[in-house]
Amino acid sequence: MRNADFLLLCALLLAVAAACKSGPPVQFPPGTRVLWLAAADDVPTLDPAVGYDSASWAYEQAIFDTLVRYGDANVELQPDLALSWEISKDATRLTFHLRRDARFSNGRPVTGADVKYAIERVLKPSTRSQGAEYYRGIAGAADFVAGRARQVAGIELPDPYTIVFHLTGPDPIFIHKLTMPFAAAVPREVTEKWGEDFSHHAVGSGAFKLSQWISGQRLVLVRNPYYFAGGLPKLDAVVELTGVNEELQWLKYEAGEIDVSSVPSPEFPAVMKSPRLKALTIHNVTVTTNYLGMNCQMAPFTDVRVRRAFNYAIDKEKLLALLNGRGVVARGVLPPGLPGYTPDVTGYPYDPGRAQRLLEEAGVRKGFAPVLWMRADQTMLLLAQSVQQDLALVGVNLVLKPVAWGPLLDAVRQPHNTQMFMLAWEADFPDPENFLEVLFSKRQWRSNNDTFFYDPQVDRLMAEAAPIADLARRFELYREAERIIIGQAPWVFLYHPVNYLIRQPWVHDYVINPMRPTRLEKVWISPH
Amino acid sequence: MKRIGAMELIGLLMVLSLMVIAATAPLIAPHDPTRAVAPTYGEPAPPTRAFPLGTDELGRDVLSRIIYGARISLTVGVAGMLVTMTIGVAIGLAAGFFRGAVDVVLMRFTDVMLTLPALLLAMALVAVLSPGLVSILIVIGLVSWTTVARVVRAEAMSVSQRDFMLAARSLGASPVRLIARHLLPNVLPLIVVMAALSTSGTLLLDAALSFLGLGVPPPAPSWGRMIEEAELYFRVAPWLAAFPGLAIFYAVLGFNLFGYGYLRRQGR
């Protein structure tokens, strides 16, 4: 037994060593321009109705097209399947004129009906799409969801290349909801053929098409010969190797086996000290807030004093030190860079004395041991231990519960289940609604409002703000809602991360978008 | 009885020294093992005069963590060994003494258990039971008793056939008395050896589980977990993994030297 264990350990280490050394397992003919990437986890899905995480979206947006999209490095609207569009003054009608040369990778032309079908598929309750919420404002969506109508009456197709959306009320940011992969054109004949397995047989009109996907090993995309934009994509193929953790990614990067890698914390200082490596880094302030949620329905977090105490007790600067300063301290919900963000929120400074007093007032006894749920990931564990150290100083014995990503998301959605959890939210579109409504409204209980926070005034302010197109007035209402949320402290506001990647010298035009994964169609590789 | 051998003595001293360190941890550890005590928060610091084994990225003193880690590792090692030995010795004695159907059933069951890879089985069990000191002990006991059972059975079989057993049996001694008064004392030397070796096996299994993130949860400083946490920093701060690795090496060596030394003294 003892020897067997020792041998097993040796085998494990050897396997790791072998994985570092062995070359990539896929072969391409010489001269093929391939971008090699790596990730720890498998891509969850390639079905645009299902995916709602950055890993899925990265490849969905390579395989599928939406009516409109964001720029490569910004969140300005750009034509994609639609060449032009008009929005009525009252923001209740949107008309899109589609390009006529778009084709799915099976050769069939893309029409407005494919977009309509895609949105109906997302809305259909049996799809269980988390994107459904975003399209409920289309006229007739309610009847369609309830099964009273066979199609959504508010999506009109005057001709195959024109699509008109009628909304039940004004929604000035509806067009942004059409940039999400949920609204990407999908070929009905293919989705109906494969049903739930469409993810593994994805067919879209994007720059790339799915070539091979072996779970836990690799995902291979190749260029879509029917892609409408001439000369794009500039790559012949993209390979993502899966099951490669951060540290291994770094070793593979150094060996020249992958083209773009994240920079693990321990290596970061050395990278920034080397002028050669530093010049190869790409960074961007992502529109993200990392937070520690406290379940407002579970004692003692029902008491706002306890929630505030935790905000005072945790030193966010220490977390940033563990991330080599790659981020800024969060003082509120909205990240800098998001329209509607205001720098004058004060948040909670680090003040353990005050935290202790608040805990005493609230009657929390010494040795209180709440459970913190978090992703089982080495960096997250490190941050959680820093939080654990801080809370120990005010007499709270935090218990850590690291779980896998999927189970964590399931767990936090159950009421009265997770006392505390560590998560992050990244903006889907540039508007405060995407943070405040999604994360704090009562409608989002059991979906994304995982602290089960409810404040009637906040809900009222957000309902009032949603249809307002005048940005100054709109943002003012959202700011008011955010102020109340900060005061009620359902989160410990932690930090807004800055994303760092490093590329090989032969990789060009790889840019980070603040709200979307990197688009790959313009990336190119010089001979090396 | 022969005089105690050098190997056994060194092993015994090594084990005793660990026990003293574990028992007096709060007195000899220079710092609190879970607090940030170094000013270099966010980056591991190499050994200095103030922190002879360096500090980790959370500003914790590695020496203090290793000293306190002795408590956890020895507790897990010894308690895990007790669980393992209890199950293994009970099954081995029963199979070896009763023979026949009892032996067949118990030993085939043991064979089935032996076909399951210990580490995989342990990982599955920990995942179900959720990591914690008690579940680790249960898991270690459940996956590592098989070897003990087989060895004890073989010894029990041979002892059972000796004349004094036959004599006791013909005097009408009950099976319980036979096992407790005659069989067990004669198998005991072997049990001591198995116990020592099983303790070191347990230490390694615990280290492997902790390394896989399934051991005693943080901030408890178990040696295996320290190595796991050091993995990320392996290239920039190798001392973070090296020192707890040496601690595990020392403990395993101590128990093994004692076990084999004792075995040699028994003349086997």
Side-chain angles (χ1 to χ4, degrees), chain A residues 2 254 378 382 385-386, chain B residues 41 57 60 229 231 235:
Chain A
R2 168 179 45 93
E254 286 196 319
Q378 282 172 319
L382 207 59
Q385 289 194 63
S386 175
Chain B
Y41 200 86
E57 66 286 353
R60 299 175 300 202
E229 287 174 357
E231 188 204 0
R235 278 151 37 107

Side-chain angles (χ1 to χ4, degrees), chain A residues 1-3 5-6 8-9 12-13 245-247 250-251 254 264-267 269-270 273 317-319 321-324 378-379 381-383 385-390 392-393 398-402, chain B residues 34-36 41-43 57-60 65 114 117-120 130 143-147 197 200-201 204-205 207-208 211-213 217-219 225 228-229 231-236 252 256 260:
Chain A
M1 201 56 71
R2 168 179 45 93
N3 289 330
D5 289 340
F6 182 67
L8 242 164
L9 254 174
L12 244 162
L13 290 172
N245 70 21
E246 228 191 355
E247 193 63 12
W250 181 253
L251 295 171
E254 286 196 319
S265 259
E267 312 287 347
K273 266 180 223 144
E317 298 285 356
K318 271 170 68 188
L319 300 179
L322 289 173
L323 297 167
N324 324 101
Q378 282 172 319
T379 309
L381 255 168
L382 207 59
L383 298 178
Q385 289 194 63
S386 175
V387 169
Q388 196 176 41
Q389 286 179 342
D390 292 343
L393 294 178
L398 190 65
V399 179
L400 305 185
K401 190 171 173 76
Chain B
T34 62
R35 292 267 168 93
Y41 200 86
E43 263 183 73
E57 66 286 353
L58 285 163
R60 299 175 300 202
R65 288 179 69 71
L114 268 170
L119 195 56
L120 275 184
S130 87
V143 301
S144 43
W145 58 267
T146 42
T147 324
L197 300 186
S200 59
L204 282 176
L205 186 57
F211 180 75
L212 295 169
R225 176 166 293 282
E228 189 237 341
E229 287 174 357
E231 188 204 0
L232 211 53
Y233 290 85
F234 184 63
R235 278 151 37 107
V236 292
V252 170
N256 278 4
Y260 285 120

Side-chain angles (χ1 to χ4, degrees), chain B residues 96 99 152-166 169 182-188 268:
Chain B
R99 314 266 188 104
V152 170
R153 165 184 173 267
E155 184 73 6
M157 269 185 166
S158 100
V159 171
S160 295
Q161 287 174 341
R162 303 236 192 106
D163 290 345
F164 66 85
M165 284 294 280
L166 188 65
R169 212 188 289 261
H182 301 280
L183 185 54
L184 191 58
N186 284 288
V187 185
L188 203 57
R268 287 165 197 270

Side-chain angles (χ1 to χ4, degrees), chain B residues 21 24 29 51 70 85 105 130 140 151 154 171 179-180 189 199 201-202 241-242 250 254:
Chain B
I21 288 173
T24 59
F51 305 105
M85 294 310 291
V105 171
S130 87
I140 288 174
V151 175
L171 284 170
I179 292 176
T199 307
T202 303
Y250 182 82

